[in-house]
Amino acid sequence: MTFKVLGIGTSLREGASSTTALSIALDFAKKHGAETRLLDLKQTPLPLYDPTEAKSSPEIKKAKDDVIWSDALILSTPDYHGSMSGAMKNFLDYFWAEFAGKTFGYICASHEKGLTAMDQMRTAVRQCYGWSIPYGVSVSDSEDIVNGKITPKLESRLEMLARDLVVYGDIIRQQFVKDLDSASSNTFASRYRK
Ligand SMILES: Cc1cc2nc3c(=O)[nH]c(=O)nc-3n(C[C@H](O)[C@H](O)[C@H](O)COP(=O)(O)O)c2cc1C
């Protein structure tokens, strides 16, 4: 089975550098053997999550289908006040068990390094029993994008992220699926058995 990587773009800015970098990372994931999809929340806006009302819309359905389809995800956000975009947090709020046993990579467009924004995404993912690649890729549009083209240095960081996500993510996912199917009750996957 081909490993499936879903990218989540969460800047609503036209020509967003975080989404540009994400698209390039997905191309690299494809080069490393994965099937990929991009869920760009600018094109697929989600209503504000409301736990008291099970809303349905074509956009919510698409987001759910894409997340369930995925084996691993790349979360990409602009740095807003040292944190993730509201669109990203709202996206994360829609999911919980769907993230368990999947590995996540992180991209943040920032004037600084976006470390706190990436840490906060990591916290949300850990809370849902997702795994995280231990580093993230930060994108500075003034340094990493020259005349609309990304620099070789950023390209190299994005390729490393894509490669590591495909390689490590596949190992973790395969073990999680194996544990789901096994009879053992003392594994973290066992609580997700239906
Ligand atoms: C509401 C808002 C808050 C921001 N806060 C920060 C910040 O705390 N630190 C920072 O480095 N950049 C901050 N920025 C700048 C953006 O992170 C930066 O321009 C980023 O490259 C935008 O990414 P995008 O092109 O993917 O939309 C902020 C921008 C906006 C609109």
Side-chain angles (χ1 to χ4, degrees), residues 130-147:
W131 299 69
S132 287
I133 294 287
Y135 61 88
V137 174
S138 54
V139 181
S140 159
D141 47 13
S142 59
E143 287 169 30
D144 294 317
I145 302 180
V146 179
N147 299 327

PDB file of all heavy atoms in Angstrom, residues 130-147:
ATOM      1  N   GLY A 130      -0.915  11.616  18.465  1.00  0.00           N
ATOM      2  CA  GLY A 130      -0.153  11.600  17.220  1.00  0.00           C
ATOM      3  C   GLY A 130       1.330  11.681  17.554  1.00  0.00           C
ATOM      4  O   GLY A 130       1.710  12.085  18.659  1.00  0.00           O
ATOM      5  N   TRP A 131       2.170  11.284  16.610  1.00  0.00           N
ATOM      6  CA  TRP A 131       3.630  11.353  16.781  1.00  0.00           C
ATOM      7  C   TRP A 131       4.137  12.563  16.005  1.00  0.00           C
ATOM      8  O   TRP A 131       3.535  12.952  15.010  1.00  0.00           O
ATOM      9  CB  TRP A 131       4.299  10.086  16.234  1.00  0.00           C
ATOM     10  CG  TRP A 131       3.880   8.830  16.920  1.00  0.00           C
ATOM     11  CD1 TRP A 131       2.659   8.236  16.852  1.00  0.00           C
ATOM     12  CD2 TRP A 131       4.669   8.006  17.775  1.00  0.00           C
ATOM     13  NE1 TRP A 131       2.637   7.091  17.617  1.00  0.00           N
ATOM     14  CE2 TRP A 131       3.858   6.918  18.191  1.00  0.00           C
ATOM     15  CE3 TRP A 131       5.988   8.066  18.226  1.00  0.00           C
ATOM     16  CZ2 TRP A 131       4.322   5.908  19.025  1.00  0.00           C
ATOM     17  CZ3 TRP A 131       6.459   7.056  19.062  1.00  0.00           C
ATOM     18  CH2 TRP A 131       5.627   5.992  19.462  1.00  0.00           C
ATOM     19  N   SER A 132       5.275  13.099  16.432  1.00  0.00           N
ATOM     20  CA  SER A 132       5.808  14.273  15.738  1.00  0.00           C
ATOM     21  C   SER A 132       7.248  14.058  15.312  1.00  0.00           C
ATOM     22  O   SER A 132       8.051  13.522  16.084  1.00  0.00           O
ATOM     23  CB  SER A 132       5.772  15.498  16.656  1.00  0.00           C
ATOM     24  OG  SER A 132       4.454  15.953  16.818  1.00  0.00           O
ATOM     25  N   ILE A 133       7.567  14.520  14.091  1.00  0.00           N
ATOM     26  CA  ILE A 133       8.969  14.618  13.688  1.00  0.00           C
ATOM     27  C   ILE A 133       9.621  15.629  14.658  1.00  0.00           C
ATOM     28  O   ILE A 133       9.039  16.675  14.936  1.00  0.00           O
ATOM     29  CB  ILE A 133       9.042  15.127  12.217  1.00  0.00           C
ATOM     30  CG1 ILE A 133       8.444  14.083  11.248  1.00  0.00           C
ATOM     31  CG2 ILE A 133      10.458  15.522  11.822  1.00  0.00           C
ATOM     32  CD1 ILE A 133       9.283  12.850  11.016  1.00  0.00           C
ATOM     33  N   PRO A 134      10.794  15.314  15.196  1.00  0.00           N
ATOM     34  CA  PRO A 134      11.330  16.145  16.287  1.00  0.00           C
ATOM     35  C   PRO A 134      11.757  17.558  15.881  1.00  0.00           C
ATOM     36  O   PRO A 134      11.977  18.398  16.754  1.00  0.00           O
ATOM     37  CB  PRO A 134      12.526  15.343  16.805  1.00  0.00           C
ATOM     38  CG  PRO A 134      12.818  14.323  15.776  1.00  0.00           C
ATOM     39  CD  PRO A 134      11.583  14.095  14.988  1.00  0.00           C
ATOM     40  N   TYR A 135      11.901  17.831  14.602  1.00  0.00           N
ATOM     41  CA  TYR A 135      12.262  19.205  14.193  1.00  0.00           C
ATOM     42  C   TYR A 135      11.156  19.728  13.271  1.00  0.00           C
ATOM     43  O   TYR A 135      10.279  18.968  12.849  1.00  0.00           O
ATOM     44  CB  TYR A 135      13.618  19.219  13.449  1.00  0.00           C
ATOM     45  CG  TYR A 135      13.593  18.379  12.179  1.00  0.00           C
ATOM     46  CD1 TYR A 135      13.193  18.929  10.968  1.00  0.00           C
ATOM     47  CD2 TYR A 135      13.929  17.026  12.195  1.00  0.00           C
ATOM     48  CE1 TYR A 135      13.137  18.160   9.809  1.00  0.00           C
ATOM     49  CE2 TYR A 135      13.871  16.250  11.057  1.00  0.00           C
ATOM     50  CZ  TYR A 135      13.474  16.831   9.865  1.00  0.00           C
ATOM     51  OH  TYR A 135      13.401  16.073   8.727  1.00  0.00           O
ATOM     52  N   GLY A 136      11.199  21.011  12.984  1.00  0.00           N
ATOM     53  CA  GLY A 136      10.254  21.581  12.025  1.00  0.00           C
ATOM     54  C   GLY A 136      11.019  22.414  11.011  1.00  0.00           C
ATOM     55  O   GLY A 136      12.228  22.629  11.158  1.00  0.00           O
ATOM     56  N   VAL A 137      10.336  22.875   9.980  1.00  0.00           N
ATOM     57  CA  VAL A 137      10.981  23.738   8.981  1.00  0.00           C
ATOM     58  C   VAL A 137      10.375  25.134   9.096  1.00  0.00           C
ATOM     59  O   VAL A 137       9.161  25.295   8.966  1.00  0.00           O
ATOM     60  CB  VAL A 137      10.779  23.192   7.552  1.00  0.00           C
ATOM     61  CG1 VAL A 137      11.327  24.178   6.521  1.00  0.00           C
ATOM     62  CG2 VAL A 137      11.451  21.832   7.396  1.00  0.00           C
ATOM     63  N   SER A 138      11.235  26.118   9.366  1.00  0.00           N
ATOM     64  CA  SER A 138      10.714  27.485   9.386  1.00  0.00           C
ATOM     65  C   SER A 138      11.055  28.182   8.078  1.00  0.00           C
ATOM     66  O   SER A 138      12.099  27.921   7.468  1.00  0.00           O
ATOM     67  CB  SER A 138      11.219  28.250  10.607  1.00  0.00           C
ATOM     68  OG  SER A 138      12.610  28.197  10.656  1.00  0.00           O
ATOM     69  N   VAL A 139      10.150  29.041   7.672  1.00  0.00           N
ATOM     70  CA  VAL A 139      10.274  29.741   6.389  1.00  0.00           C
ATOM     71  C   VAL A 139      10.238  31.236   6.674  1.00  0.00           C
ATOM     72  O   VAL A 139       9.271  31.733   7.249  1.00  0.00           O
ATOM     73  CB  VAL A 139       9.076  29.404   5.463  1.00  0.00           C
ATOM     74  CG1 VAL A 139       9.210  30.118   4.130  1.00  0.00           C
ATOM     75  CG2 VAL A 139       8.929  27.904   5.280  1.00  0.00           C
ATOM     76  N   SER A 140      11.320  31.912   6.280  1.00  0.00           N
ATOM     77  CA  SER A 140      11.320  33.373   6.403  1.00  0.00           C
ATOM     78  C   SER A 140      11.161  33.917   4.996  1.00  0.00           C
ATOM     79  O   SER A 140      12.047  33.709   4.147  1.00  0.00           O
ATOM     80  CB  SER A 140      12.647  33.825   7.010  1.00  0.00           C
ATOM     81  OG  SER A 140      12.861  35.178   6.692  1.00  0.00           O
ATOM     82  N   ASP A 141      10.041  34.603   4.713  1.00  0.00           N
ATOM     83  CA  ASP A 141       9.841  34.996   3.310  1.00  0.00           C
ATOM     84  C   ASP A 141      10.896  35.995   2.826  1.00  0.00           C
ATOM     85  O   ASP A 141      11.208  36.032   1.648  1.00  0.00           O
ATOM     86  CB  ASP A 141       8.399  35.456   3.007  1.00  0.00           C
ATOM     87  CG  ASP A 141       7.851  36.425   4.006  1.00  0.00           C
ATOM     88  OD1 ASP A 141       8.644  36.948   4.813  1.00  0.00           O
ATOM     89  OD2 ASP A 141       6.633  36.665   3.979  1.00  0.00           O
ATOM     90  N   SER A 142      11.516  36.754   3.766  1.00  0.00           N
ATOM     91  CA  SER A 142      12.539  37.710   3.304  1.00  0.00           C
ATOM     92  C   SER A 142      13.872  37.019   2.994  1.00  0.00           C
ATOM     93  O   SER A 142      14.657  37.501   2.191  1.00  0.00           O
ATOM     94  CB  SER A 142      12.737  38.813   4.339  1.00  0.00           C
ATOM     95  OG  SER A 142      13.139  38.235   5.550  1.00  0.00           O
ATOM     96  N   GLU A 143      14.132  35.858   3.622  1.00  0.00           N
ATOM     97  CA  GLU A 143      15.428  35.193   3.412  1.00  0.00           C
ATOM     98  C   GLU A 143      15.338  33.942   2.544  1.00  0.00           C
ATOM     99  O   GLU A 143      16.272  33.608   1.822  1.00  0.00           O
ATOM    100  CB  GLU A 143      16.024  34.772   4.770  1.00  0.00           C
ATOM    101  CG  GLU A 143      16.549  35.950   5.560  1.00  0.00           C
ATOM    102  CD  GLU A 143      16.892  35.558   6.993  1.00  0.00           C
ATOM    103  OE1 GLU A 143      17.272  34.397   7.218  1.00  0.00           O
ATOM    104  OE2 GLU A 143      16.760  36.431   7.869  1.00  0.00           O
ATOM    105  N   ASP A 144      14.225  33.244   2.631  1.00  0.00           N
ATOM    106  CA  ASP A 144      14.135  31.925   1.983  1.00  0.00           C
ATOM    107  C   ASP A 144      13.431  31.961   0.630  1.00  0.00           C
ATOM    108  O   ASP A 144      13.417  30.958  -0.086  1.00  0.00           O
ATOM    109  CB  ASP A 144      13.372  30.946   2.893  1.00  0.00           C
ATOM    110  CG  ASP A 144      14.137  30.651   4.178  1.00  0.00           C
ATOM    111  OD1 ASP A 144      15.356  30.450   4.091  1.00  0.00           O
ATOM    112  OD2 ASP A 144      13.514  30.630   5.249  1.00  0.00           O
ATOM    113  N   ILE A 145      12.805  33.097   0.327  1.00  0.00           N
ATOM    114  CA  ILE A 145      12.107  33.197  -0.962  1.00  0.00           C
ATOM    115  C   ILE A 145      12.640  34.439  -1.677  1.00  0.00           C
ATOM    116  O   ILE A 145      12.501  35.561  -1.203  1.00  0.00           O
ATOM    117  CB  ILE A 145      10.573  33.260  -0.760  1.00  0.00           C
ATOM    118  CG1 ILE A 145      10.109  32.005   0.006  1.00  0.00           C
ATOM    119  CG2 ILE A 145       9.846  33.378  -2.106  1.00  0.00           C
ATOM    120  CD1 ILE A 145       8.646  31.898   0.298  1.00  0.00           C
ATOM    121  N   VAL A 146      13.332  34.204  -2.796  1.00  0.00           N
ATOM    122  CA  VAL A 146      13.958  35.304  -3.534  1.00  0.00           C
ATOM    123  C   VAL A 146      13.313  35.377  -4.911  1.00  0.00           C
ATOM    124  O   VAL A 146      13.320  34.382  -5.657  1.00  0.00           O
ATOM    125  CB  VAL A 146      15.502  35.084  -3.640  1.00  0.00           C
ATOM    126  CG1 VAL A 146      16.156  36.215  -4.420  1.00  0.00           C
ATOM    127  CG2 VAL A 146      16.121  34.943  -2.254  1.00  0.00           C
ATOM    128  N   ASN A 147      12.756  36.538  -5.244  1.00  0.00           N
ATOM    129  CA  ASN A 147      12.029  36.739  -6.507  1.00  0.00           C
ATOM    130  C   ASN A 147      10.983  35.640  -6.744  1.00  0.00           C
ATOM    131  O   ASN A 147      10.888  35.084  -7.849  1.00  0.00           O
ATOM    132  CB  ASN A 147      12.999  36.795  -7.712  1.00  0.00           C
ATOM    133  CG  ASN A 147      13.977  37.942  -7.581  1.00  0.00           C
ATOM    134  OD1 ASN A 147      13.634  38.995  -7.036  1.00  0.00           O
ATOM    135  ND2 ASN A 147      15.201  37.738  -8.043  1.00  0.00           N
TER     136      ASN A 147
END
